[in-house]
Every structure is written in C-alpha cells, then in structure tokens.
Amino acid sequence: MLDGLIHAYQSGDQKGALLRAYHLALLVLAVPGVLLGLLYSLMKPAAHTTSIALALVGLSVVLAGAVLEKVRRSVSSVSSPGQPFPPPERLAAALQLGSAPGVPFLLGCAAFHDPLTWLGCWAVALAAYLLGRQRVLDISRK
C-alpha cells in the first residue's frame, strides 16, 4: 500500500496518492482496533445501558466532526485563492482526514459486545469516511 502511495505521488497522480494516504491512515487505526476489540469481547463484558451507548455514539460524532473541522481550517489557512495548494500539505491533510472515520471506528471496535453502540459508532464512521473522502477529492482538485 505504501509503495502504491509513493508510486502514485511520484507519477503525478495526486488524486490516487491522496486517496491511498487517506486509506492508509484509516487502516493504521482500524486493523489494531478490530483485533483489540475482538480480544476485549472475548472477556464478555456487560452491555452498555442505552444512555451510555448514546453518549459513546455522540462522542464519536463530536470527535469525527472535530477532526473534519480541524483539517478544514488548516487547509483554508494554507491555501489562498489563485495559488496552488502545496502537495506536501495535501498529503498531510489526507493523512489527518483518515482519523475522522478512524476514531468512531475504534469506539465501535471497543463495543463489539454491545450491538447498539457498535452499530451506532460504525454508522458514524461510515458517514465520516464518506465526508473525509469527499474532502480528499476536493483537496486533490485545489
């Protein structure tokens, strides 16, 4: 995956390189999260109450939104009208955007034992993934 990122970046395929960076950043969080979540669920913890489940899903919304907003602000502070957006900053933004779906995904992994929390957090992760992917595509056009 990293070789593909470097090749796409060097060949001038900005969109491909940024999407690979975005997915790589997400995978760095997701793979250990799934493994640790499965191990934790083997301990058979008690299910969350509805209020705790909703609080965790709400927390995942807030954290994903905070990442998306932080990247939006950093992109707008670096880019200026009429000036091309520097490639290193594009790559940094794509890598940062990978944590927007990553954080709710991790919260969902920690809640494999509770279907309400797990599905809620992963639904937020999916929405954050789609929003982050769209931002990456927008950045690749700048």
Side-chain angles (χ1 to χ4, degrees):
M1 180 109 186
L2 193 54
D3 290 335
L5 167 66
I6 293 168
H7 182 266
Y9 192 73
Q10 290 174 343
S11 70
D13 180 14
Q14 293 292 315
K15 178 180 162 185
L18 294 177
L19 284 173
R20 285 179 186 269
Y22 178 63
H23 291 129
L24 183 63
L26 176 57
L27 281 174
V28 165
L29 294 172
V31 171
V34 169
L35 297 174
L36 292 172
L38 288 172
L39 284 174
Y40 179 61
S41 67
L42 290 175
M43 295 184 342
K44 300 190 189 311
H48 299 128
T49 64
T50 304
S51 59
I52 290 176
L54 292 175
L56 288 171
V57 172
L59 178 64
S60 70
V61 169
V62 169
L63 293 173
V67 170
L68 291 169
E69 178 61 17
K70 181 203 171 289
V71 173
R72 185 196 67 77
R73 285 184 183 185
S74 67
V75 166
S76 65
S77 71
V78 172
S79 65
S80 57
Q83 294 289 336
F85 193 51
E89 280 81 3
R90 289 180 190 199
L91 194 56
L95 289 169
Q96 290 171 358
L97 281 168
S99 62
V103 171
F105 187 86
L106 287 173
L107 282 172
C109 288
F112 279 150
H113 64 282
D114 183 31
L116 179 64
T117 309
W118 172 60
L119 289 174
C121 288
W122 277 21
V124 172
L126 176 61
Y129 170 80
L130 295 173
L131 287 170
R133 188 176 191 283
Q134 186 58 47
R135 293 244 173 116
V136 169
L137 293 175
D138 292 342
I139 289 169
S140 71
R141 291 186 207 114
K142 288 188 176 197

